[in-house]
Amino acid sequence: MSGDVPIETVWSILEAANELGDTQTVDACRRVIDANLCGGTPVQSDLNAIAAFFA
């Protein structure tokens, strides 16, 4: 995966964001995971949204 966030971390964030009802982060995680599965590159705004989950 391209970017600073390992895909295993994205899956963990997806689970946590889903439990918290954070739909924006859930959607960003899904797009990053989809890009990874399709061999694409995730967009920077999705990676930023995921990184902001920790802030």
Side-chain angles (χ1 to χ4, degrees):
M1 178 177 117
S2 177
D4 296 342
V5 184
I7 195 65
E8 295 83 15
T9 301
V10 175
W11 279 102
S12 296
I13 292 170
L14 172 62
E15 183 177 331
N18 195 35
E19 289 177 11
L20 294 171
D22 184 344
T23 56
Q24 290 180 322
T25 303
V26 167
D27 291 343
C29 287
R30 288 181 176 161
R31 288 189 295 267
V32 169
I33 291 167
D34 285 346
N36 184 62
L37 292 174
C38 294
T41 302
V43 295
Q44 189 61 46
S45 60
D46 286 339
L47 295 173
N48 293 344
I50 292 168
F53 187 76
F54 294 109

